[in-house]
Amino acid sequence: MSDAPNSRAILDQLVSFPTISSDSNLDLIDWAEVFFKSHGARVMRDYSPDRKKASLVAQIGPEAEGGVILSGHSDVVPVEGQNWTHPPFSVTQSGGRLYGRGTCDMKGFVALAMAAAARADLLPLKRPLQICISRDEEIGCFGAPPMIRAMQDHFPRAALAVIGEPTMMKPVNGHKGGIGFDTHLRGYEVHSSLIDRGVSAIMEGAKLINWANQINAENRAAAEAGKQGDSRYDPPYTTLHVGTIEGGTAHNITAKDCRFLMSIRNVPGESTKGWIERYIAEVRAIEAEMQKVHPDCAITLKQRYDVPGLKSEANGKAEELVRVLTGQNRSGVVSYGTEAGHFQQGGYSSIVCGPGDIAQAHQPDEYLSIAQFEAGEQFMNRLLATLQT
């Protein structure tokens, strides 16, 4: 047992670890584990298959069910190619803001949760506080499902989970799901003057991208007519998107290869399985046309991620608690995905609520306002009071 540390000092330390998703996060996890143990926590790790990364779960308080989970991810997005005017991997305080990669998304929340855990060590909790620090959220929420399964074998089941993605400390009880398919088209190379004898993987890939554009237009029209979608979301319908594309050898050769990631963000009321089947069906139809020209042509798919949407809960324990702690009398929804859907599928009442503005996430000169950091501190203090009753 020891004096509780300052949450700002913890944030400084967390940001100093450059935990970009392509790299290991073990330095941060090592430091956090020592921190938690020094404040009386029981901890467990869940490693990635290659053991280069890990998630960490810590529990403070009695070995009892009905506690509260505070969950945040350790990884951040890259800074390369962005125009930063502040050092990305240290915290710079200026103009009422805390600048640094991850301050908003979401090391600010993790720092607040860790400081709350340290304070909890000095308090007579009647229900435990469980802190989750996950891996690989930014590349598809890969770390959350195995972490959730592992913690259920190590700790008493909590009653609810608060996922601290930036919401300006307002409760969010629903968000869209996300599906991503790595799509690789293999065409047949010929000189472009003989295009009718070859298959351009890029031009065939463009057909899939155009199909996505058509689906977006159809979904938008259906939502505007009130026939489809969910008016709580912005936009209020399922969207398809391709952010990057690569392929081809030269301007005068039909492209042998084309690769892109097809992303689908579906409103929670629409079947993930149904959208997967629709995309696969369109892929196979285009593949069949390619193979009429040359049998070696093919389209291969690899599902990169499947992030379940967060469904609004009737009389949800998580929403009820967070409304009380924040003083908000209503909840909202967001179009971005979080790990909350995984916690919900794991049997926990779940809500999203954390400091900061999602508009700052992934941006150069990412920042968390000091006012939001302080609001998060007040939230944690009220939560600790609740766990003592």
Side-chain angles (χ1 to χ4, degrees):
M1 183 178 294
S2 60
D3 294 335
N6 182 280
S7 56
R8 169 60 197 278
I10 298 173
L11 178 61
D12 288 349
Q13 187 66 50
L14 292 175
V15 172
S16 73
F17 294 108
T19 50
I20 296 168
S21 290
S22 58
D23 301 327
S24 173
N25 71 339
L26 291 182
D27 287 345
L28 183 152
I29 294 299
D30 290 344
W31 179 83
E33 181 170 346
V34 171
F35 174 94
F36 282 123
K37 286 182 175 178
S38 72
H39 293 285
R42 189 160 69 87
V43 302
M44 59 141 279
R45 290 193 187 197
D46 181 70
Y47 282 94
S48 61
D50 62 8
R51 299 188 70 84
K52 293 181 180 179
K53 302 178 185 178
S55 299
L56 185 72
V57 183
Q59 176 175 293
I60 294 279
E63 291 292 310
E65 295 188 349
V68 172
I69 296 168
L70 299 176
S71 184
H73 57 81
S74 61
D75 56 324
V76 297
V77 296
V79 300
E80 284 77 14
Q82 294 186 330
N83 185 24
W84 284 75
T85 61
H86 301 282
F89 295 112
S90 62
V91 178
T92 301
Q93 181 171 331
S94 177
R97 297 172 175 177
L98 302 171
Y99 289 92
R101 174 57 88 217
T103 51
C104 179
D105 184 22
M106 57 183 302
K107 291 180 177 180
F109 178 83
V110 174
L112 292 166
M114 292 180 69
R119 294 196 297 277
D121 182 34
L122 308 173
L123 300 173
L125 300 188
K126 293 185 177 179
R127 291 176 291 145
L129 178 65
Q130 296 175 352
I131 310 296
C132 296
I133 304 178
S134 66
R135 62 173 173 87
D136 288 332
E137 189 273 348
E138 293 290 4
I139 57 174
C141 294
F142 294 128
M147 177 188 70
I148 293 167
R149 291 192 294 269
M151 66 185 287
Q152 291 175 342
D153 293 332
H154 283 77
F155 299 109
R157 176 175 283 275
L160 58 96
V162 180
I163 291 76
E165 292 281 0
T167 67
M168 297 297 287
M169 293 308 302
K170 296 179 180 179
V172 166
N173 65 6
H175 65 64
K176 290 184 177 182
I179 314 155
F181 278 99
D182 285 319
T183 304
H184 176 203
L185 296 94
R186 186 176 70 248
Y188 181 65
E189 290 180 305
V190 298
H191 193 281
S192 60
S193 65
L194 304 173
I195 190 171
D196 61 320
R197 304 175 196 177
V199 177
S200 168
I202 290 176
M203 296 182 74
E204 296 301 316
K207 295 178 182 177
L208 278 173
I209 296 172
N210 187 55
W211 172 80
N213 284 328
Q214 292 173 348
I215 294 298
N216 285 338
E218 292 172 5
N219 288 352
R220 178 176 181 175
E224 290 175 347
K227 298 178 180 179
Q228 186 176 309
D230 189 326
S231 61
R232 297 176 300 164
Y233 290 90
D234 182 18
Y237 51 88
T238 294
T239 58
L240 287 72
H241 177 253
V242 173
T244 62
I245 186 170
E246 60 180 16
T249 304
H251 78 279
N252 58 356
I253 304 174
T254 56
K256 181 179 179 181
D257 295 288
C258 178
R259 293 179 174 87
F260 55 81
L261 174 68
M262 179 65 75
S263 300
I264 305 172
R265 293 182 182 269
N266 61 297
V267 294
E270 295 182 3
S271 166
T272 298
K273 180 181 178 182
W275 279 108
I276 292 173
E277 291 174 347
R278 286 186 70 179
Y279 184 56
I280 292 175
E282 187 65 22
V283 164
R284 295 305 166 221
I286 291 175
E287 180 184 56
E289 292 300 311
M290 295 167 65
Q291 290 174 343
K292 289 180 180 178
V293 179
H294 198 281
D296 289 344
C297 295
I299 305 177
T300 58
L301 300 177
K302 180 180 179 182
Q303 189 167 342
R304 184 185 293 188
Y305 60 84
D306 183 357
V307 180
L310 175 64
K311 299 178 182 178
S312 301
E313 303 170 3
N315 303 313
K317 292 181 180 180
E319 182 175 354
E320 179 182 357
L321 174 64
V322 169
R323 281 193 184 186
V324 170
L325 298 181
T326 59
Q328 300 284 330
N329 59 12
R330 61 185 300 178
S331 299
V333 300
V334 293
S335 292
Y336 57 85
T338 78
E339 295 173 334
H342 284 300
F343 277 95
Q344 192 174 63
Q345 287 191 345
Y348 299 100
S349 176
S350 300
I351 194 87
V352 183
C353 184
D357 188 342
I358 192 63
Q360 287 304 312
H362 306 180
Q363 297 299 305
D365 283 342
E366 176 183 347
Y367 69 83
L368 175 65
S369 74
I370 293 175
Q372 279 289 295
F373 197 56
E374 291 174 346
E377 195 89 69
Q378 294 169 6
F379 175 94
M380 296 299 174
N381 289 336
R382 296 185 189 115
L383 173 60
L384 293 179
T386 298
L387 292 174
Q388 297 175 67
T389 60

